[in-house]
Amino acid sequence: MKDFLDELEEELSGEGLQKPSVKSEVSVSTSRKIESTHKIQNQTPVRPKTETQKTTPQRTQSSGQRSQQYKRPQLADDERGLTKYGKRVIQFPETKFFLPTLREGYTRYIPIGWNNEIGAKNMGMIQYGDDILLIDCGVQFAEPEMLGADYSIPDVSFLTKYTKNIKGFIITHAHLDHIGALKNVLPVLDMPVLYGTKLTIGLVKKAIDEVWLLPYAQFVEIDAGIENMTRIGQFNVEFFSVNHSIPDCAGLYIETPGWAKFVHTWDFKIDHTPRLDKPADFERYETIGNRGITMLLSDSTGSTTKWFSMSEKEVGDTLEKIVSEWTKGRLIIAAFSSWISRVQQLIDIAEKYDKYIFLSGRSMVENIAIAQKLWYLSMKPGTIKKLSSKNTSSIPDNKQIIITTWSQWEEFSALQRMAEGKHNAMTIQAGDTVVFSSSVVPWNERSVAGVINKLLRYGVKIITKADAPVHTSGHAYQEEQKIFVRLFHPKYFMPIYGDLYFRTRHAETAVQAGVKESNILLLDNGNIIDFAPNGSVFRSKIKVPIQD
């Protein structure tokens, strides 16, 4: 059998996927224009002022090291049509909206896409003076009522006037609801510099390379495990590690010259025994909190569940018990393709019990290949293979662990194709066991039940987290949320990442942890809040016209 990396090289080479010729779409002259400084010919918006000379972001190095500057590519005016960076781009509707004037010394925050939904279109912005900093850019997969659509992306129509003011794009982690819309939004906003951790950058590169934007993108890799400030425009940004369901996830500390100090937890939980990441660093969180936090923005996904979320170690112990006792049929593990720590757990178990792992689903194969290349995964040669009839033919069924992609939004995920008998490499059969090592996204229970019912018709055994602890949440429950509130002890608290019900429950938890009820900020997408240098907050009556 071919080695796993040989198969992945074939998979990632895109056989059967024809990329357009670079020469046919990006001429030499166009490339030169992209690299040249953009000359302003048309009148630009007054609010915020447009700079005639760009101030490039600088990363603050430790003493003795020189600061490094990062420049982003720019387009000449005659390239600002339907074609940018060698490809046709989405045209957002024109808007006459201008951001209200920001008073001197004030700091502005606007949620663009992470409120009023769960796991969808996560995006926000911070403004100081004329500088804008963007955070995340996720996708929402189509829901049943979104007829004719494959997915939905954040509405950045109002930002197209301010591309020269965007100093950077911070990416907290590599889940699709945080990076999935970058391929659509980056060219519209003239390719801002992207900042993120090593694995996050690796997966972002894969995503934008699929639409041939990689040659035009620039990245700054940040180590969230080190206390280090990165200068982006007028913003000082520090990444700090948090536990989540994907390795190398980061929270953010952001401060401005206007004395605003924001902490953005993004998706987080508290795990003392994670498989790949380090345990939650309470000492560092407390150190950041002692700087005097103006506002804490925190993940509300687990806000309706009491106590603490379960550790990854307990899930690993359960999966090991299942594997050790399983003697008949194939074991099929359905998981999200980004849950790399879960794959490492299964690699450890397979090697201990002399089993073989087979990967199904393109996103699973690609993510595991990138994680291994970046040294986030370790395995013995031959432990893991791509799922194919040729690779499995010589392996007994009870020696096969098949890890397959399982996305509750995608009609053609590998598990869905298995359930419908449409998978090209295997057929579900009686005696197989399917373990759902994943959670159900709120309001999506019906589609999950539909897949389970189809699988049961084959005579398989189904194991879900209702039967055994085969999955844990990547999001903090109420007691974990209280710990973060107490460690960062902010003046203002903004629950984010959830519809109003989830955010309201999170607000109640924050009040129990010591935040004044009058200092809770419940915002809809497009609401504008400005923070004065003295810490006072002003809610604008003007709202950005964002289409949810």
Side-chain angles (χ1 to χ4, degrees):
M1 290 188 291
K2 289 183 179 180
D3 184 78
F4 172 63
L5 290 177
D6 293 332
E7 293 178 341
L8 292 190
E9 186 174 348
E10 289 183 3
E11 180 75 15
L12 296 177
S13 66
E15 288 186 0
L17 179 64
Q18 297 296 320
K19 290 189 179 183
S21 169
V22 175
K23 291 183 179 180
S24 65
E25 290 206 335
V26 186
S27 65
V28 175
S29 61
T30 301
S31 299
R32 289 173 178 168
K33 290 175 181 176
I34 290 172
E35 295 173 357
S36 66
T37 304
H38 177 71
K39 297 180 179 179
I40 302 171
Q41 295 179 352
N42 299 321
Q43 185 176 359
T44 53
V46 175
R47 303 182 297 268
K49 297 177 182 178
T50 305
E51 301 174 341
T52 56
Q53 293 185 346
K54 288 168 46 60
T55 303
T56 56
Q58 295 183 348
R59 182 176 177 181
T60 304
Q61 306 285 342
S62 59
S63 60
Q65 292 181 324
R66 299 175 65 182
S67 296
Q68 191 174 0
Q69 293 188 346
Y70 304 90
K71 297 181 180 180
R72 62 176 180 175
Q74 295 253 330
L75 284 177
D77 284 336
D78 57 1
E79 293 294 327
R80 294 182 177 276
L82 291 175
T83 302
K84 286 185 176 183
Y85 305 100
K87 71 185 292 289
R88 294 179 68 85
V89 300
I90 289 177
Q91 295 298 294
F92 284 84
E94 293 186 7
T95 173
K96 297 181 180 179
F97 176 82
F98 289 87
L99 290 170
T101 300
L102 182 59
R103 283 170 283 188
E104 185 175 354
Y106 281 60
T107 303
R108 171 170 292 161
Y109 177 80
I110 303 175
I112 298 176
W114 50 52
N115 289 337
N116 301 329
E117 55 256 325
I118 293 178
K121 296 191 293 187
N122 295 295
M123 188 173 182
M125 66 162 276
I126 300 174
Q127 180 187 347
Y128 182 82
D130 298 330
D131 291 359
I132 291 174
L133 184 65
L134 300 178
I135 306 172
D136 286 348
C137 190
V139 71
Q140 176 185 14
F141 289 105
E143 297 176 345
E145 64 270 16
M146 297 167 65
L147 301 178
D150 294 320
Y151 56 88
S152 174
I153 64 176
D155 182 3
V156 296
S157 303
F158 76 100
L159 284 174
T160 57
K161 298 183 178 72
Y162 302 106
T163 57
K164 298 180 187 66
N165 304 93
I166 299 172
K167 300 305 175 184
F169 221 136
I170 296 177
I171 308 299
T172 59
H173 64 286
H175 279 149
L176 287 179
D177 57 329
H178 293 258
I179 69 170
L182 284 172
K183 61 185 179 182
N184 305 112
V185 170
L186 281 176
V188 174
L189 300 182
D190 288 353
M191 304 298 289
V193 179
L194 293 158
Y195 295 77
T197 58
K198 181 165 68 173
L199 181 63
T200 299
I201 292 297
L203 293 174
V204 167
K205 286 181 177 179
K206 180 202 76 171
I208 65 175
D209 191 36
E210 291 175 353
V211 293
W212 311 296
L213 284 173
L214 188 56
Y216 310 107
Q218 295 205 25
F219 303 89
V220 179
E221 185 180 300
I222 307 293
D223 186 345
I226 304 174
E227 293 186 29
N228 186 35
M229 286 287 185
T230 300
R231 183 76 172 182
I232 308 176
Q234 298 186 73
F235 305 96
N236 282 325
V237 181
E238 180 181 339
F239 284 57
F240 58 87
S241 298
V242 294
N243 301 128
H244 186 41
S245 55
I246 187 171
D248 231 3
C249 187
L252 305 170
Y253 167 79
I254 303 171
E255 66 180 23
T256 73
W259 299 98
K261 299 177 181 180
F262 299 158
V263 167
H264 205 312
T265 70
W266 256 128
D267 296 9
F268 83 98
K269 65 179 293 183
I270 293 175
D271 196 337
H272 299 288
T273 53
R275 176 57 186 88
L276 291 180
D277 285 323
K278 293 181 179 179
D281 190 348
F282 290 163
E283 184 177 351
R284 187 171 179 196
Y285 304 156
E286 185 177 29
T287 298
I288 294 173
N290 289 338
R291 296 171 186 171
I293 304 304
T294 309
M295 177 174 65
L296 172 65
L297 303 95
S298 191
D299 172 16
S300 302
T301 308
S303 60
T304 62
T305 308
K306 294 181 178 180
W307 305 115
F308 294 86
S309 62
M310 185 171 57
S311 172
E312 278 292 328
K313 185 180 185 303
E314 187 171 348
V315 175
D317 293 343
T318 303
L319 292 174
E320 181 175 352
K321 185 174 186 296
I322 291 172
V323 171
S324 65
E325 297 176 351
W326 148 64
T327 58
K328 179 183 177 182
R330 297 165 297 185
L331 184 63
I332 302 166
I333 310 289
F336 300 132
S337 62
S338 59
W339 210 297
I340 294 167
S341 60
R342 190 69 44 81
V343 174
Q344 182 65 69
Q345 288 176 317
L346 290 166
I347 290 171
D348 298 340
I349 295 167
E351 292 178 347
K352 182 177 180 179
Y353 292 95
D354 192 27
K355 310 287 185 181
Y356 298 89
I357 289 177
F358 299 90
L359 299 180
S360 176
R362 182 175 180 84
S363 60
M364 177 71 74
V365 170
E366 291 179 338
N367 288 350
I368 296 309
I370 292 170
Q372 187 182 35
K373 181 179 179 181
L374 296 176
W375 300 100
Y376 286 86
L377 288 176
S378 59
M379 67 192 75
K380 297 176 182 178
T383 297
I384 190 166
K385 300 280 183 180
K386 179 185 172 185
L387 179 64
S388 69
S389 55
K390 180 180 179 181
N391 284 347
T392 57
S393 60
S394 61
I395 307 296
D397 285 355
N398 65 350
K399 292 283 187 179
Q400 298 180 27
I401 301 175
I402 299 170
I403 307 179
T404 181
T405 53
W406 165 231
S407 174
Q408 300 165 42
W409 300 281
E410 295 185 80
E411 181 180 358
F412 302 110
S413 67
L415 184 65
Q416 182 83 26
R417 286 183 276 122
M418 291 178 187
E420 295 178 355
K422 298 177 180 179
H423 199 282
N424 61 1
M426 69 167 290
T427 302
I428 299 289
Q429 58 192 29
D432 290 340
T433 298
V434 179
V435 179
F436 281 82
S437 189
S438 55
S439 59
V440 180
V441 175
W443 325 127
N444 211 29
E445 293 83 0
R446 183 176 179 180
S447 64
V448 175
V451 172
I452 291 176
N453 287 330
K454 290 176 182 177
L455 290 169
L456 287 171
R457 294 185 183 277
Y458 291 95
V460 306
K461 180 180 179 181
I462 300 290
I463 300 176
T464 72
K465 68 175 186 177
D467 306 304
V470 294
H471 181 68
T472 181
S473 175
H475 301 272
Y477 291 172
Q478 289 180 3
E479 295 305 314
E480 297 162 83
Q481 292 173 344
K482 289 178 184 177
I483 290 173
F484 260 45
V485 170
R486 288 169 180 146
L487 286 172
F488 291 114
H489 48 92
K491 179 175 182 179
Y492 296 98
F493 178 78
M494 181 185 296
I496 59 172
Y497 197 55
D499 61 24
L500 186 57
Y501 171 63
F502 281 77
R503 290 185 289 122
T504 299
R505 292 296 301 273
H506 198 180
E508 294 169 355
T509 299
V511 170
Q512 294 173 20
V515 178
K516 292 182 180 179
E517 189 170 357
S518 59
N519 288 352
I520 299 292
L521 303 172
L522 285 169
L523 270 64
D524 288 329
N525 294 331
N527 285 153
I528 299 173
I529 54 171
D530 294 344
F531 293 86
N534 64 4
S536 301
V537 63
F538 296 88
R539 305 189 192 208
S540 175
K541 295 181 180 180
I542 299 172
K543 184 178 180 181
V544 180
I546 291 174
Q547 297 182 26
D548 287 333

